[in-house]
């Protein structure tokens, strides 16, 4: 039940997901959680399972519609916060970068270069930042760093770390029980991703099943306006310390971009201008 959620070798994604959710429900029932909460979680998990099956069958519109239905009972208890201040980092794999704009999100006129990420689909660039230099290094390996210092608050940020990184935990235990299946679904690590503390992926791997729920969550948050970004832990380190501070802080921040109708604008300037960027 702990995060990240490592899936067992030799089992399909569906089998692993079913095993996790079944065990979670068993734990709730074994700990005398009230029946209303158990029923809510059971219905939520059922819809998540249907969402994944519909996605695998190419019914993407139906998968998203089912996911929206799943989110309806928990949308009011999602841990949404305001990030008042902070310093973040962004790493580019290329070395010797001397222009600040090279550290912005992928330009809108270069979306043909955008790839699928945990919380962003192909063709929709987001701004990914790390809470520490170390988390950038384990995500990117090596490159040039830029520091992003927040100048004004970031409103409506979904905190999938539940405030454990900064002590700002404002979700009740019973609400955590209700939203935990969603949170855990965003931290899935398939069997091939980490073996003996190093990433091991097939040479030709283009689709990542573990991104289905996180990406649908982004689409949902964008459509409803519930959140403008997400704080989440990196899954690159098998020894995740959720209380890590300073260079042991393994939190990431993904911020959603907005593209204006003016096709000449290459970046979300409203978002970029919230930061002082130093190289």
């Amino acid at each position: 039940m702990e995060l990240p959620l490592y899936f067992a070798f030799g089992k399909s994604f569906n089998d692993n997901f079913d095993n996790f959710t079944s065990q979670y429900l068993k734990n709730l029932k074994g700990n005398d959680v009230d029946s209303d909460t158990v029923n809510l979680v059971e219905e939520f998990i059922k819809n998540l399972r249907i969402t994944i099956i519909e996605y695998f069958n190419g019914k993407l519109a139906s998968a998203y519609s089912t996911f929206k239905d799943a989110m309806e009972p928990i949308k009011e208890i999602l841990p949404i916060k305001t990030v008042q201040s902070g310093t973040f980092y962004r790493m580019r794999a290329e070395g010797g970068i001397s222009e600040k704009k090279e550290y912005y999100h992928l330009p809108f006129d270069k979306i043909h270069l955008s790839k699928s990420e945990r919380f962003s689909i192909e063709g929709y660039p987001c701004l990914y930042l790390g809470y520490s230099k170390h988390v950038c290094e384990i995500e990117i390996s090596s490159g040039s760093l830029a520091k992003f210092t927040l100048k004004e608050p970031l409103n409506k940020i979904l905190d999938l770390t539940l405030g454990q990184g900064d002590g700002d935990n404002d979700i009740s235990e019973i609400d955590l029980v209700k939203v935990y299946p969603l949170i855990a679904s965003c931290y899935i690590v398939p069997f091939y991703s980490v073996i003996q503390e190093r990433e091991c992926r097939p040479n030709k791997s283009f689709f990542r099943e573990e991104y289905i729920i996180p990406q649908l969550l982004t689409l949902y948050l964008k459509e409803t306006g519930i959140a403008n970004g997400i704080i989440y832990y990196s899954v690159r380190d098998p020894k995740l310390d959720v209380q890590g501070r300073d260079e042991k802080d393994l939190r990431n921040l993904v911020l959603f971009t907005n593209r204006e109708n003016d096709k000449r604008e290459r970046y979300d300037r409203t978002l970029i201008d919230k930061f002082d960027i130093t190289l």
Side-chain angles (χ1 to χ4, degrees):
M1 298 293 104
E2 293 182 355
L3 304 179
L5 188 63
Y6 289 96
F7 276 6
F9 179 82
K11 290 186 177 181
S12 72
F13 184 90
N14 278 343
D15 286 345
N16 273 299
F17 191 78
D18 287 348
N19 286 345
F20 158 70
T21 52
S22 296
Q23 184 61 49
Y24 186 71
L25 286 170
K26 182 179 178 180
N27 289 352
L28 296 191
K29 295 173 183 178
N31 285 279
D32 297 324
V33 175
D34 68 272
S35 60
D36 287 343
T37 296
V38 172
N39 291 338
L40 183 149
V41 173
E42 205 159 20
E43 182 69 14
F44 180 77
I45 286 174
K46 183 188 78 172
N47 280 325
L48 282 191
R49 288 173 172 171
I50 294 172
T51 295
I52 292 170
I53 291 171
E54 289 177 330
Y55 197 104
F56 284 155
N57 279 299
K59 301 177 181 179
L60 304 190
S62 180
Y64 179 60
S65 178
T66 302
F67 182 77
K68 287 173 63 178
D69 291 342
M71 293 295 296
E72 190 64 25
I74 66 169
K75 65 181 183 181
E76 300 296 334
I77 60 173
L78 292 174
I80 306 295
K81 67 189 294 183
T82 296
V83 179
Q84 297 287 354
S85 61
T87 298
F88 309 90
Y89 299 90
R90 181 164 167 80
M91 178 175 281
R92 293 294 307 277
E94 300 86 351
I97 300 175
S98 58
E99 292 189 68
K100 293 180 182 179
K101 66 180 180 180
E102 295 298 323
Y103 292 92
Y104 297 174
H105 62 78
L106 186 72
F108 295 134
D109 60 353
K110 291 187 177 181
I111 59 172
H112 59 283
L113 299 176
S114 65
K115 59 182 180 178
S116 180
E117 302 286 355
R118 185 167 294 270
F119 291 100
S120 51
I121 60 174
E122 295 177 2
Y124 176 62
C126 293
L127 178 63
Y128 283 83
L129 302 173
Y131 271 73
S132 66
K133 297 176 183 178
H134 175 62
V135 75
C136 292
E137 290 168 352
I138 64 175
E139 292 281 1
I140 307 296
S141 295
S142 64
S144 301
L145 271 170
K147 183 168 70 173
F148 283 62
T149 303
L150 193 58
K151 295 192 297 184
E152 56 185 273
L154 296 172
N155 298 314
K156 298 195 297 185
I157 304 297
L158 174 60
D159 187 0
L160 295 184
T161 71
L162 304 177
Q164 292 176 350
D166 57 16
D168 182 16
N169 190 346
D170 55 2
I171 185 171
S172 69
E173 288 188 5
I174 196 63
D175 285 345
L176 173 56
V177 167
K178 295 173 183 177
V179 303
Y180 190 79
L182 172 69
I183 294 170
S185 298
C186 294
Y187 289 102
I188 294 172
V189 181
F191 68 87
Y192 55 72
S193 289
V194 177
I195 299 177
Q196 295 181 348
E197 300 186 17
R198 64 188 181 90
E199 188 173 35
C200 299
R201 288 183 56 80
N203 290 331
K204 292 184 178 180
S205 179
F206 302 104
F207 173 65
R208 303 193 67 157
E209 298 159 310
E210 69 271 28
Y211 287 178
I212 292 174
I213 298 302
Q215 290 181 353
L216 290 178
L217 176 59
T218 291
L219 295 179
Y220 175 79
L221 296 175
K222 279 285 294 181
E223 179 185 351
T224 59
I226 290 175
N228 299 316
I230 301 170
I231 302 171
Y232 66 100
Y233 290 118
S234 170
V235 301
R236 295 279 183 148
D237 190 339
K239 299 177 181 178
L240 173 63
D241 177 8
V242 298
Q243 301 295 341
R245 297 291 195 275
D246 302 320
E247 284 308 298
K248 292 183 179 181
D249 193 335
L250 295 185
R251 288 177 295 167
N252 288 314
L253 170 65
V254 56
L255 297 171
F256 308 148
T257 59
N258 291 297
R259 187 174 185 176
E260 301 297 334
N261 293 327
D262 185 353
K263 296 181 179 179
R264 294 172 297 177
E265 184 58 73
R266 305 179 67 220
Y267 303 101
D268 181 344
R269 295 300 318 188
T270 301
L271 174 60
I272 295 300
D273 289 345
K274 291 181 182 293
F275 298 91
D276 275 326
I277 303 173
T278 55
L279 306 184

